[in-house]
Amino acid sequence: MPPKNDIWRHFEDLKDAGGKTVKYLRDRSHSCAWCIACLDECVRECRAQDLVSIARGELREVRSESKLRSSFKNPTLALSAAGWKKPSNIVDDFTGVIPVCGKKDSASPLTIKISSRGTPVTKLSPLSLQSVLRQSAQHGSSPASSSSLPSTASATPYASPAKRARTLPDLTSLHPGQGAFDETKAAHALPAGLQELLESPCASCPCHHWDDNRQHELASDLCKLWVSCNIPWNAVSNPQLRIFMEKWIPGGEVPDRRDLAGKYLQEAVTSAVTATRSRVAGGLATGMSDGWKNIAKVPVLTSVMLVKNQPELIQMHNMAGLPKTGEQHAKIIQEDLDIMRNKFNVHPIAWVTDDGPDGKGARNLLRRLLPWLMTFVCWAHQSGLLAGDFLVFPEFKATVSAALDVVRWFNNHSSALDLFNQEQCLTYPDRPRPLVLILPALTRWTTHFQCASRLLEVGRALELCVARHRESLLQIGEKSQTAHAKETARKVIATIDDKEFWKRLDR
């Protein structure tokens, strides 16, 4: 049986009392199919009219969507399908939707119409829900009573927009000479639950309208969300995102990616600079700069200032094509000092760089050019260099090398790592989950210390894992495709069994 065509996601069928699908007229093979977009439009229109009727006291509550949806699926309306020439399949008085025959040739033309125009939207009547509720409260009439409203018996409950516009009453002509509208009295005059509808927009009501300010706020928040979550700008043009917005945030327009990454991003930057200035204005600042490569492998130099023990970004400089010299670094630092004074209104008193050739050269130049500016070497960098010098000593180098071999071997053999994690759960039942073994990175300071500390934390579990599963660990090592795999496994096991190793690591 061929797979179901994609066009049927735009349609719904109907089940009879026995749970069988209702067929199309006398066709015993194909079912009645109702356009989902047309059904949604009928539901929105009728629920909006129900809210107006509640305000008049003609209804007590809005009918449920499922009840309305079922009432619009009238199979007998299929008799009108042959002569129907309108864009949508909604009948004029919104009492139903004309079904189509459940086969591809019948459904495709309507599907093309839906795809070309989106969800059908009818014009709203001039008298909106809010004006009905507010005016009925203004003139002192209780919405639960319709004695003060003109009769609307001649109006069809779900007439077309133009017809409803003629039959709805003009409340502005009621009770002439009344005073100004009192919001407090209006709130007490409204029935329970309708005051909230006035204060917060109803997502399912077509009376809801997004003004320019609210639309601008949505675009600004989307820009902040995209930046915070590191989402590519092109994602805003993804059709699935727009479908999501139309379903859950109706009325909200998704901005174009060029606007999002253009004017809205620039507004966010301006707002961030203003907020930073308000926090740091008048303070004493220490500047710092360091070079690195971003995710696109572009060399950049980032400048940061420390004000009241809080780091704030100054600027990022693209260093592509520029010399990595002390003169160039000193020139950039002087530009950043001007930005700190003029843009953020702070008083720079010191600058910090690493002890590389460009950083050292920049500090030497700054001492001559700006003798009032204190210059320091970054001790975070120096700590990393000291750790490297410490690991050169033979005894410490051998201990750290053995520890790294243990971490690498278990991390590279999933079966051995699984046995070790099981042993952790048995050895440390108070821990919610097994701890991972940390492999240090040269560009991450203190990771060698973290690696040794973590091994000491799980040392007892490692020893018990070797004692319980020694042969299994050796077999896991033999199955490895690397050279000298079995010798490596034996060496790791011997290291874990060595009591002196743990003493040296702890020291």
Side-chain angles (χ1 to χ4, degrees):
M1 183 175 181
K4 198 171 185 179
N5 196 288
D6 285 343
I7 66 172
W8 295 118
R9 62 189 176 89
H10 296 289
F11 295 89
E12 291 182 5
D13 55 16
L14 178 66
K15 306 292 184 183
D16 58 17
K20 297 182 179 180
T21 305
V22 175
K23 301 299 181 183
Y24 187 82
L25 298 179
R26 297 182 180 179
D27 192 328
R28 296 187 178 182
S29 300
H30 300 96
S31 305
C32 282
W34 283 268
C35 170
I36 293 177
C38 296
L39 290 171
D40 291 342
E41 177 63 11
C42 282
V43 169
R44 283 194 293 268
E45 190 71 24
C46 294
R47 285 172 71 88
Q49 185 65 17
D50 282 357
L51 293 172
V52 176
S53 299
I54 290 174
R56 293 183 177 141
E58 299 171 359
L59 282 179
R60 304 186 68 178
E61 61 181 4
V62 178
R63 289 172 292 174
S64 66
E65 180 178 349
S66 59
K67 184 177 179 181
L68 286 171
R69 214 172 186 84
S70 299
S71 66
F72 298 142
K73 296 179 181 180
N74 185 356
T76 59
L77 290 176
L79 296 171
S80 306
W84 194 258
K85 303 297 182 184
K86 297 186 178 181
S88 71
N89 279 16
I90 304 173
V91 298
D92 292 338
D93 57 358
F94 282 86
T95 56
V97 175
I98 296 175
V100 297
C101 183
K103 56 183 178 180
K104 182 179 178 181
D105 295 340
S106 301
S108 294
L110 184 58
T111 307
I112 295 172
K113 292 179 184 179
I114 295 170
S115 301
S116 62
R117 73 179 192 279
T119 302
V121 178
T122 59
K123 291 184 178 180
L124 299 177
S125 60
L127 191 59
S128 68
L129 169 64
Q130 291 199 15
S131 63
V132 170
L133 298 179
R134 291 169 63 88
Q135 291 183 39
S136 63
Q138 176 182 358
H139 298 298
S141 59
S142 173
S145 173
S146 59
S147 59
S148 62
L149 296 175
S151 173
T152 58
S154 60
T156 306
Y158 307 115
S160 63
K163 190 172 183 179
R164 288 203 315 275
R166 294 193 299 269
T167 56
L168 286 172
D170 181 9
L171 295 185
T172 57
S173 62
L174 300 178
H175 303 281
Q178 294 290 336
F181 177 62
D182 189 339
E183 294 281 353
T184 305
K185 293 181 180 179
H188 291 293
L190 296 176
L194 289 184
Q195 180 63 24
E196 289 79 0
L197 290 172
L198 286 177
E199 296 175 352
S200 60
C202 174
S204 62
C205 178
C207 298
H208 171 50
H209 172 69
W210 286 59
D211 56 21
D212 293 339
N213 292 334
R214 195 152 187 258
Q215 182 62 49
H216 184 274
E217 185 179 359
L218 171 65
S220 299
D221 289 345
L222 279 176
C223 180
K224 296 174 184 176
L225 177 65
W226 253 237
V227 173
S228 300
C229 298
N230 198 24
I231 304 175
W233 298 112
N234 284 336
V236 79
S237 302
N238 191 301
Q240 193 61 41
L241 174 68
R242 297 184 178 272
I243 293 172
F244 176 87
M245 293 287 291
E246 290 172 4
K247 177 179 180 181
W248 297 107
I249 315 178
E253 181 180 350
V254 180
D256 184 77
R257 64 175 179 83
R258 287 161 293 196
D259 292 334
L260 203 65
K263 61 179 182 180
Y264 294 113
L265 180 59
Q266 188 58 46
E267 288 178 4
V269 171
T270 303
S271 175
V273 170
T274 303
T276 301
R277 179 187 174 90
S278 65
R279 289 195 303 269
V280 304
L284 301 178
T286 298
M288 295 170 280
S289 57
D290 192 15
W292 53 289
K293 287 187 178 181
N294 61 15
I295 193 173
K297 304 301 181 183
V298 176
V300 295
L301 183 70
T302 304
S303 301
V304 179
M305 60 181 176
L306 194 68
V307 184
K308 300 175 183 177
N309 294 327
Q310 293 296 324
E312 304 286 354
L313 178 67
I314 302 175
Q315 195 170 355
M316 291 184 65
H317 306 270
N318 188 342
M319 299 298 292
L322 297 178
K324 190 177 180 180
T325 61
E327 292 81 2
Q328 183 66 38
H329 199 158
K331 180 181 176 182
I332 291 174
I333 291 174
Q334 292 182 77
E335 294 174 359
D336 291 337
L337 290 172
D338 292 336
I339 293 175
M340 293 167 65
R341 284 189 290 259
N342 301 329
K343 191 174 184 179
F344 296 104
N345 194 25
V346 297
H347 307 289
I349 60 173
W351 201 273
V352 180
T353 69
D354 61 13
D355 209 30
D358 57 329
K360 182 184 292 186
R363 292 198 312 274
N364 292 333
L365 288 173
L366 290 174
R367 291 191 191 101
R368 295 198 300 267
L369 296 173
L370 305 172
W372 53 268
L373 185 70
M374 295 181 287
T375 57
F376 302 99
V377 66
C378 176
W379 277 101
H381 286 81
Q382 299 309 303
S383 298
L385 295 175
L386 287 172
D389 294 339
F390 179 80
L391 295 177
V392 171
F393 293 105
E395 181 182 1
F396 301 127
K397 183 178 180 180
T399 303
V400 172
S401 178
L404 295 182
D405 288 340
V406 172
V407 173
R408 290 194 191 96
W409 193 84
F410 274 92
N411 283 344
N412 291 337
H413 296 81
S414 58
S415 299
L417 186 61
D418 184 59
L419 293 175
F420 168 58
N421 288 335
Q422 293 178 18
E423 197 63 47
Q424 281 196 72
C425 295
L426 296 174
T427 309
Y428 314 107
D430 56 325
R431 293 177 182 172
R433 62 182 63 86
L435 299 179
V436 298
L437 297 175
I438 300 174
L439 184 65
L442 293 177
T443 56
R444 298 285 183 178
W445 296 321
T446 74
T447 51
H448 282 84
F449 172 77
Q450 296 294 336
C451 172
S453 299
R454 179 56 55 84
L455 271 180
L456 292 172
E457 282 188 81
V458 298
R460 181 60 179 165
L462 278 171
E463 292 176 330
L464 290 175
C465 179
V466 168
R468 295 176 192 268
H469 309 287
R470 185 182 300 271
E471 294 301 324
S472 298
L473 294 175
L474 288 173
Q475 292 176 6
I476 291 171
E478 291 176 354
K479 294 178 182 178
S480 178
Q481 300 297 321
T482 60
H484 310 293
K486 189 171 183 179
E487 290 76 6
T488 304
R490 291 184 183 278
K491 182 179 177 181
V492 169
I493 292 174
T495 299
I496 296 174
D497 285 336
D498 186 4
K499 300 298 182 181
E500 294 299 321
F501 164 77
W502 295 105
K503 292 179 182 179
R504 294 195 305 269
L505 190 65
D506 189 26
R507 189 174 57 185

